[in-house]
Amino acid sequence: MQTKNSGTAKKVLRKEDASLLSGRGRYADDLPAPVGTLHAHAVRSPHAHAEIVRVDAQKALAHDGVWAVITGDDVRKLSDPFLTAVKVAAPQWALAVERVRYVGEPVALVVAESRYVAEDAAELIDIEYAPLAAALDPQAACDSAAPLVHPEAKTNEVSVRAFRYGDTEAAFAKADRVIAMTTEFPRLSFTPIECYVVVAQHNPAEGSYDVLANFQGPFSIHPVMARSLRVAGPKLRLRIPPDSGGSFGIKLSVFPYVVLIALAARMTGRPVKWVEDRIEHLVAASSGPNRVTRAEAAVTKDGRILGLRLDQLEDYGAFLRAPMPGPLYRMQGSVTGAYDIANVDVKNRVVLTNKMPSSLIRGFGGPQLYLALERLVQHIAVELHLDPLDVIKRNLIPGQKFPYRTAAGALYDSGDYWRAIEIALGEGRLDELKRRREQARANGRIYGIGFAAIVEPAMSNMGYLSTVMSAQARDRAGPKNGAVSMARVNIDPLGAVTVTADVTVQGQSHETVLAQIVAKELGLAPDDIEVILELDTAKDQWSIAAGTYSSRFASGTAVAAHMAAAQMRDKLKSIGAKQLNVLPEDVELAGGKIRSRSNPDNALPFGRIAATSHWSPVMLPETMAPALSETGVWTPPELAPPTHDDRINTSFTYGFVFDMCGVEIDPATYQVRVDRYVSMHDAGRILNATIADGQIRGAFAQGVAAALYEEFSYNEEGAFLSGTFADYLVPTVSEIPEVEILHYESPSPLTPLGAKGLAEGNCMSTPACIANAIADALGVENVTLPATPRRIHAMLESGRK
């Protein structure tokens, strides 16, 4: 089904807007702190790599209002290093122990009566370092002579796994050509408006911790934090505030500070609060990993890809923070993207360097993979003197093959990629781009057209990361797979409906969509539904898959809410049937009433029948328990463990994105201007058109940022060069071009709602699409991102030579 602005027939405005736009949001720093709360400030390393010779905190401790100065030795006595997915001798505690390994690593924590006192006292701490050589370039760091980030690991290349799917050797032997290229995806972050916030309390009588933090999940990190604190899971109560000022994957990495501030509360005997400032965030919070990919394609003379080889070297910085190396393995099953390629070899390599640790930045794994894959597809077209669109279409998965099992094991649920692309190219869009390019070049201007076709995964299989282990190691550890989503619908004694769910809020409009889903099943208006999303591990239902990441909402939590609402609907039908004196099959919920389908005049208000369970339980059908509360639990059977030959369905649903753009490059300033951008999305059934397009626009803005502006830079000694917004260029609304959004709906057959995720697609597709357009404009093979004016100048000079 084609739509230009697809979605529900009746657009529902965001329920969140009334509070957020009036300044009444409730963020972590807005919530009242416990009486007697102290405040913390971290002292951070100025060195990329150095031994900690001594820490003298006597002057700081003597400062009025200072309660404690905590160091790595204190942390080591009271906690354990964090668990990691890769078993490697590279332990990380909540503070640096004996050695610092990146600029900004926390070395000491000052706890005082106020933040001002803590910051003043921090300047009195005398720390002596013995600087060491740093490993910064991921390729150089793999050399045996490179400085070791963790000497006990004896290597910086801490994980290497090779995979073979199909008969790649035969494919390369049969090919007319072998075409190769190397791409480098930069290290960057997507900076949220709100930085990290943690408020922790310790109860010595119970040996427990109560922590408020703007953590986003996945809650698989909860046992990691509890283990580090040396307590059982129930002894760590983690509470998430009602609102969060964005996340984009960054707020996963608040978890070391959750442990650190919890330890501070234990040591001082008082509640402790820490609010990260912007400089701390840029220097030391987290970033997406940079990746170097060597890609080779075995192709026929008409551009058909017979086989693919990928060597992916990913730089995770100084530590493998859980759940790293997630970005390298999240796309394992879909490593061939939107293309029908039966034979593929993949080598995944993990390297540690003296840079800040990496995290699951929005779209994680996708931008890195698709820059390599889509640049390679265009390069094939250039080398064979073919139209890039012809090469894309020649290799796309045909519609009749869906559901489609990829060579590496992903199960693509639905789609018609050819049809979606035809729609995007139609109505003169491609012709207009070509006309603009011809006219620009005729006038001596620099203009290029780029394309990108990608598959957008949603709702990660919690077992995908186990693919980092061999099959034998997986057998010993036990199977890891699946994903659980939960939602609950409650009705109070007056008939008011409340919904809770296992998501964390960062502005995605979960409240609105959950209200829509539940209201539809119960015959109410969305405004009749109260949605409360303040997740509390002590009282709310959750699993290790809980949180908001990997676009799991539409394919997971929304389905669980639909299930809970349907269960509640059926229960209300049974209650209503007895009072209306009809069969349950004849009961419907509509217009705020519960009524007979065959005789709509035979009806009672929703609230009256719903209240029966509370006020008149004797009127309930036999065997029905009083009180109305239904929980939906959704765990798709398609998310199986990796097979013995390493095939893995890494996600549950798979959308499709096709992007097309034209860019013009100023020959004087070397600035890249996106002249026109078209983005086609197949995300299955759209739940809310307004929210869907808003999510797409947000991801598109961040995709443009990755392509043209944002980059974490380090000098040869490892000093961080992007520590303020004067150096780290975050584009404003003035720099983000308009995007034409199109939708083609192929509902997923695997979920009752038919919806797939769509919040990450343009983070994956837009950098590759713009890079392809720049390559077309300049006539060069290699395009380095972000394509800043300095780099464009270098590319122009390279092209002239």
Side-chain angles (χ1 to χ4, degrees):
M1 177 175 68
Q2 174 196 354
T3 56
K4 186 165 184 177
N5 288 299
S6 177
T8 53
K10 180 182 179 182
K11 292 188 177 182
V12 177
L13 298 178
R14 283 171 30 116
K15 290 172 68 70
E16 298 87 345
D17 284 347
S19 61
L20 296 180
L21 297 181
S22 62
R24 290 177 172 83
R26 292 182 296 154
Y27 300 89
D29 196 29
D30 297 326
L31 302 181
V35 175
T37 294
L38 302 175
H39 297 266
H41 175 70
V43 180
R44 299 180 181 275
S45 167
H47 300 283
H49 200 192
E51 298 286 354
I52 302 173
V53 178
R54 66 181 177 87
V55 178
D56 185 350
Q58 292 306 308
K59 291 182 180 179
L61 285 168
H63 193 288
D64 288 343
V66 173
W67 277 64
V69 176
I70 301 169
T71 66
D73 289 340
D74 300 314
V75 166
R76 182 161 52 178
K77 291 174 185 175
L78 297 175
S79 66
D80 291 327
F82 298 110
L83 296 172
T84 59
V86 176
K87 304 307 177 186
V88 59
Q92 182 195 12
W93 280 268
L95 284 177
V97 172
E98 297 181 353
R99 179 182 291 209
V100 293
R101 292 178 169 86
Y102 62 97
V103 171
E105 183 173 6
V107 179
L109 187 77
V110 183
V111 185
E113 295 283 356
S114 72
R115 176 172 178 157
Y116 306 102
V117 171
E119 291 188 6
D120 288 346
E123 297 180 3
L124 302 176
I125 299 176
D126 183 16
I127 304 176
E128 182 181 347
Y129 298 95
L132 299 168
L136 297 162
D137 178 82
Q139 293 173 293
C142 294
D143 191 276
S144 59
L148 292 176
V149 180
H150 296 269
E152 56 271 37
K154 300 180 180 179
T155 179
N156 293 324
E157 194 175 4
V158 295
S159 176
V160 179
R161 280 226 67 200
F163 305 86
R164 173 159 292 179
Y165 306 111
D167 192 346
T168 314
E169 288 186 2
F172 273 77
K174 181 182 177 181
D176 296 320
R177 290 278 304 274
V178 173
I179 297 175
M181 75 181 311
T182 298
T183 56
E184 298 184 30
F185 194 86
R187 176 171 282 249
L188 74 154
S189 174
F190 294 138
T191 52
I193 295 173
E194 177 197 37
C195 297
Y196 295 164
V197 180
V198 180
V199 183
Q201 301 177 73
H202 178 247
N203 185 337
E206 298 180 357
S208 63
Y209 297 92
D210 185 327
V211 180
L212 170 74
N214 50 14
F215 175 70
Q216 73 168 93
F219 276 72
S220 57
I221 305 302
H222 185 277
V224 172
M225 292 185 283
R227 175 76 174 269
S228 180
L229 288 168
R230 299 175 180 170
V231 297
K235 296 292 186 180
L236 172 59
R237 180 182 186 181
L238 182 60
R239 295 179 291 114
I240 313 300
D243 296 306
S244 181
S247 178
F248 318 120
I250 294 293
K251 285 176 180 167
L252 157 67
S253 296
V254 72
F255 80 86
Y257 297 99
V258 169
V259 170
L260 178 59
I261 305 306
L263 291 174
R266 176 179 174 179
M267 294 177 67
T268 60
R270 296 272 294 273
V272 178
K273 181 175 183 178
W274 172 68
V275 178
E276 180 189 53
D277 66 31
R278 181 61 63 182
I279 292 177
E280 286 182 292
H281 186 86
L282 284 170
V283 171
S286 189
S287 74
N290 49 302
R291 182 186 298 181
V292 180
T293 304
R294 171 71 176 174
E296 296 180 288
V299 299
T300 62
K301 59 185 178 182
D302 63 351
R304 181 75 174 91
I305 302 173
L306 305 178
L308 182 67
R309 289 179 180 144
L310 295 174
D311 183 336
Q312 304 182 116
L313 176 64
E314 190 131 283
D315 174 5
Y316 283 92
F319 299 99
L320 274 179
R321 282 180 180 165
M324 300 301 105
L328 189 56
Y329 281 87
R330 181 210 186 182
M331 308 295 292
Q332 183 73 17
S334 52
V335 73
T336 47
Y339 302 117
D340 187 14
I341 303 174
N343 309 292
V344 56
D345 287 353
V346 183
K347 181 182 284 188
N348 288 339
R349 298 190 286 150
V350 174
V351 64
L352 300 182
T353 62
N354 292 111
K355 291 181 274 195
M356 80 172 75
S358 295
S359 186
L360 306 180
I361 308 307
R362 189 176 190 178
F364 66 98
Q368 293 89 340
L369 171 67
Y370 290 126
L371 181 68
L373 197 56
E374 294 306 296
R375 288 292 298 116
L376 179 63
V377 168
Q378 174 162 309
H379 187 48
I380 290 169
V382 172
E383 286 290 300
L384 299 180
H385 305 288
L386 299 172
D387 186 322
L389 267 177
D390 289 340
V391 177
I392 289 173
K393 291 180 178 179
R394 198 159 288 145
N395 289 285
L396 282 176
I397 300 165
Q400 63 268 25
K401 284 194 173 185
F402 286 94
Y404 174 86
R405 182 74 71 174
T406 69
L411 179 64
Y412 291 179
D413 43 338
S414 64
D416 189 337
Y417 299 169
W418 290 354
R419 179 63 182 145
I421 289 179
E422 286 175 0
I423 294 168
L425 301 177
E427 297 185 9
R429 296 184 189 90
L430 178 59
D431 292 340
E432 173 65 13
L433 271 183
K434 288 182 176 180
R435 185 192 65 76
R436 294 186 188 198
R437 181 173 62 182
E438 290 171 5
Q439 186 176 45
R441 291 180 175 180
N443 294 330
R445 305 201 311 273
I446 306 170
Y447 197 104
I449 297 175
F451 307 97
I454 69 131
V455 167
E456 180 178 4
M459 193 178 181
S460 291
N461 183 343
M462 297 304 287
Y464 78 85
L465 197 52
S466 65
T467 318
V468 74
M469 300 187 293
S470 66
Q472 294 74 22
R474 293 197 299 267
D475 289 342
R476 291 193 296 270
K480 305 289 191 300
N481 68 285
V484 178
S485 298
M486 299 179 181
R488 178 179 288 164
V489 176
N490 295 285
I491 300 182
D492 76 2
L494 297 180
V497 181
T498 303
V499 180
T500 59
D502 66 348
V503 290
T504 54
V505 174
Q506 300 120 35
Q508 297 92 339
S509 306
H510 295 148
E511 181 181 345
T512 300
V513 179
L514 288 173
Q516 281 183 256
I517 292 169
V518 173
K520 181 178 179 182
E521 294 302 314
L522 300 184
L524 301 172
D527 286 343
D528 296 328
I529 311 298
E530 185 73 17
V531 181
I532 300 174
L533 300 176
E534 302 173 47
L535 205 154
D536 183 339
T537 60
K539 63 181 184 62
D540 294 322
Q541 287 191 313
W542 60 281
S543 73
I544 61 168
T548 300
Y549 60 95
S550 299
S551 298
R552 68 180 287 267
F553 177 78
S555 305
T557 302
V559 176
H562 170 80
M563 294 170 64
Q567 292 161 199
M568 183 64 76
R569 176 203 64 207
D570 293 342
K571 182 176 281 189
L572 289 171
K573 281 186 176 183
S574 296
I575 297 172
K578 187 173 181 180
Q579 296 185 37
L580 298 174
N581 198 28
V582 297
L583 294 174
E585 298 78 34
D586 188 39
V587 176
E588 66 177 1
L589 283 67
K593 294 183 178 182
I594 297 177
R595 66 193 186 191
S596 166
R597 196 184 301 270
S598 57
N599 179 18
D601 291 334
N602 183 14
L604 288 170
F606 177 92
R608 176 172 171 177
I609 290 183
T612 301
S613 177
H614 293 279
W615 299 102
S616 304
V618 295
M619 295 179 62
L620 295 176
E622 293 183 11
T623 73
M624 182 179 289
L628 292 179
S629 180
E630 290 295 324
T631 299
V633 180
W634 170 241
T635 176
E638 291 79 11
L639 297 181
T643 62
H644 216 68
D645 58 355
D646 295 317
R647 286 174 166 80
I648 173 72
N649 185 24
T650 35
S651 296
F652 176 45
T653 61
Y654 297 86
F656 175 68
V657 181
F658 173 74
D659 285 358
M660 171 176 65
C661 76
V663 304
E664 184 169 351
I665 298 172
D666 190 309
T669 65
Y670 308 111
Q671 189 78 37
V672 177
R673 181 181 66 84
V674 178
D675 182 48
R676 186 174 185 186
Y677 205 103
V678 177
S679 190
M680 162 61 79
H681 290 255
D682 175 3
R685 183 167 289 116
I686 302 298
L687 299 177
N688 183 299
T690 302
I691 291 170
D693 285 359
Q695 287 292 308
I696 291 170
R697 290 181 191 280
F700 171 69
Q702 292 178 323
V704 171
L708 301 177
Y709 298 97
E710 298 187 25
E711 181 181 26
F712 278 14
S713 300
Y714 297 79
N715 69 9
E716 293 179 357
E717 289 76 37
F720 188 57
L721 305 178
S722 310
T724 71
F725 282 151
D727 308 296
Y728 186 75
L729 300 182
V730 178
T732 68
V733 66
S734 299
E735 285 81 44
I736 300 301
E738 184 58 44
V739 55
E740 182 179 356
I741 299 171
L742 303 171
H743 292 279
Y744 177 85
E745 296 185 356
S746 64
S748 173
L750 304 182
T751 82
L753 296 174
K756 309 177 187 182
L758 52 63
E760 300 177 285
N762 284 104
C763 286
M764 303 178 182
S765 61
T766 298
C769 186
I770 291 177
N772 279 338
I774 292 170
D776 180 55
L778 300 179
V780 297
E781 176 180 333
N782 296 314
V783 176
T784 304
L785 300 183
T788 59
R790 175 177 58 83
R791 288 192 171 128
I792 291 292
H793 176 263
M795 288 181 233
L796 271 169
E797 291 302 307
S798 173
R800 291 190 181 107
K801 291 177 183 178

